[in-house]
Amino acid sequence: MTSATAADYGWIRSSSLFAYGLEGGYTLTLVRGLSPAELLGVAGAEPRETCEGVRELIHEHTEIMFGYEDWPESFLVGAFTVPGEGGDWTLALEFGGDLGTRPTIMEALSAGTRAVSHSSNGGKPMDFFHWYEDGELRTTFEWPADRTGSTPDELNAVMREVGLNPTGDEDPDVDRKAAVLALTERLTGVRVTGQLLADAAYQTGEVPEEPAAEW
């Protein structure tokens, strides 16, 4: 396990590229042992061309969004391989989508392996973290002290180490979003940097939105 803390992810507040995701919404998902093509296949994505770097991924994302007159019917996911704990992982990044928060997809992606995701919905103060192991949601939270899952307390010690308080008020000097990225690194061994996201070649696919619930 790495020794990452919130301090290692202070760069997210000075990166214009990450600011795009924080302002408009993003989900970052890491899955061990699956290739980008396999991840996109599980997600039911329609394959698209490779995007060279996150700026091109953002451009293609906006092109899809502008193509819909009303509510978007799909969203773009970009995925690439990155080394981490126990072998290769696939990092999937999306803006305004929800792949990493759909239980059926995350359960399938984590079957026999580990999957971790974190997200922000943009303008509203809603951020989520999910840790899945072998198809099971182990720990999830929006606020660190309000956790659910089959083992909601298993990460408590690690959460404290990265700067999150699992039992009470948050430290105002700790950037919670940066701490969540550090927690993700602790579980995956993947160090996410601005340069990594900027330079990656993203294999992309268009994932359909979930049908609206009927009342």
Side-chain angles (χ1 to χ4, degrees), residues 26-102:
Y26 81 92
T27 302
L28 189 153
T29 304
L30 284 158
V31 183
R32 182 172 56 203
L34 268 67
S35 69
E38 289 171 329
L39 183 149
L40 294 171
V42 170
E46 181 69 27
R48 292 174 61 96
E49 296 181 359
T50 298
C51 287
E52 298 296 336
V54 73
R55 291 188 185 277
E56 187 172 332
L57 181 69
I58 291 172
H59 173 76
E60 291 301 314
H61 157 74
T62 57
E63 288 291 305
I64 290 175
M65 295 299 100
F66 289 150
Y68 291 107
E69 294 182 0
D70 197 1
W71 189 258
E73 298 175 6
S74 65
F75 58 89
L76 187 69
V77 176
F80 62 94
T81 301
V82 61
E85 182 179 324
D88 284 342
W89 293 66
T90 287
L91 186 155
L93 181 62
E94 55 193 279
F95 299 103
D98 61 359
L99 181 151
T101 63
R102 293 187 189 180

Side-chain angles (χ1 to χ4, degrees), residues 101-120:
T101 63
R102 293 187 189 180
T104 53
I105 291 179
M106 290 297 287
E107 289 166 5
L109 289 175
S110 64
T113 187
R114 173 175 291 182
V116 182
S117 73
H118 54 84
S119 61
S120 172

Side-chain angles (χ1 to χ4, degrees), residues 1 6 27 36 72-73 125 152 163 184 200 204 208:
M1 184 178 290
T27 302
E73 298 175 6
T184 301
T204 68

Side-chain angles (χ1 to χ4, degrees), residues 129-131 137-141 147-149 151-155:
F129 171 87
H130 304 277
W131 165 38
L137 177 59
R138 299 287 296 276
T139 304
T140 182
F141 60 84
R147 300 174 308 284
T148 58
T151 58
D153 299 329
E154 186 167 342
L155 300 180

Side-chain angles (χ1 to χ4, degrees), residues 138-213:
R138 299 287 296 276
T139 304
T140 182
F141 60 84
E142 179 181 1
W143 304 105
D146 186 18
R147 300 174 308 284
T148 58
S150 64
T151 58
D153 299 329
E154 186 167 342
L155 300 180
N156 285 10
V158 180
M159 290 174 69
R160 291 188 181 94
E161 290 176 6
V162 302
L164 298 170
N165 185 353
T167 58
D169 294 336
E170 299 180 48
D171 185 339
D173 294 326
V174 173
D175 184 332
R176 179 160 53 92
K177 177 56 69 176
V180 165
L181 268 82
L183 179 61
T184 301
E185 180 179 334
R186 293 289 191 104
L187 286 168
T188 64
V190 176
R191 171 63 60 92
V192 177
T193 66
Q195 201 66 47
L196 176 71
L197 299 179
D199 295 343
Y202 293 83
Q203 187 171 337
T204 68
E206 201 169 339
V207 178
E209 287 282 0
E210 288 186 302

